[in-house]
Amino acid sequence: MSARERFAKNLRAARKAKGLSQEALGELADLHPTYVGSVERGERNISVDNMDRLARALELDVVDLLRQPV
Amino acid sequence: MSARERFAKNLRAARKAKGLSQEALGELADLHPTYVGSVERGERNISVDNMDRLARALELDVVDLLRQPV
């Protein structure tokens, strides 16, 4: 599984575990409301800085979102 | 330390541990020869796909290059 796919799956799982909508997470990370959805669908070749922002918004480390999903 | 800085430091350490020049790693990962240098200097907001390519070229997992450097 590519890093992009891992990040997409882990992001969705972590967001749901926090009970956040895609829009709410986008707002927390100061990213466009539709951005999170495109990342979760694997459509976006996300940058390291934005990965960091999303991880921090979820109070996680970026490594947590790149591990092999269980 | 930001994810970008971590990746920069870990990439340099892993490349050197393999005895590779920046140009040689760039070639292995099918990236421009000067690209690796700009990533190692933290100048580039690298994408997840390119992080994956560099990790694979070093026979590592992208998570290995995003851990807190020791």
Side-chain angles (χ1 to χ4, degrees):
Chain A
M1 184 185 289
S2 73
R4 185 194 289 211
E5 288 166 311
R6 286 193 215 170
F7 190 85
K9 287 191 186 333
N10 289 326
L11 185 67
R12 174 163 287 172
R15 174 177 62 77
K16 288 187 169 183
K18 293 260 180 189
L20 291 170
S21 67
Q22 291 177 344
E23 293 70 21
L25 176 55
E27 212 169 300
L28 277 173
D30 201 20
L31 294 166
H32 192 277
T34 61
Y35 184 85
V36 171
S38 63
V39 173
E40 289 186 0
R41 290 188 300 272
E43 293 164 2
R44 197 167 288 269
N45 188 12
I46 186 170
S47 72
V48 64
D49 290 355
N50 280 348
M51 289 164 70
D52 217 1
R53 284 165 72 163
L54 286 167
R56 290 169 196 261
L58 289 165
E59 296 167 329
L60 292 172
D61 187 287
V62 67
V63 167
D64 301 322
L65 295 176
L66 276 165
R67 285 203 182 87
Q68 198 71 25
V70 287
Chain B
M1 181 184 290
S2 73
R4 184 194 291 214
E5 287 166 311
R6 284 193 217 170
F7 190 86
K9 286 192 187 332
N10 288 326
L11 184 68
R12 175 163 287 173
R15 174 178 61 78
K16 290 187 170 182
K18 293 261 181 189
L20 290 169
S21 67
Q22 291 178 343
E23 293 69 21
L25 176 56
E27 209 169 303
L28 276 172
D30 201 20
L31 293 165
H32 191 278
T34 62
Y35 184 86
V36 171
S38 64
V39 173
E40 288 187 0
R41 290 187 299 273
E43 294 164 2
R44 196 166 290 267
N45 188 12
I46 185 170
S47 72
V48 64
D49 290 353
N50 280 348
M51 289 165 69
D52 217 2
R53 283 164 73 162
L54 287 167
R56 291 169 195 258
L58 290 165
E59 297 167 327
L60 292 172
D61 187 286
V62 66
V63 167
D64 301 322
L65 296 177
L66 276 166
R67 285 203 182 86
Q68 198 70 26
V70 286

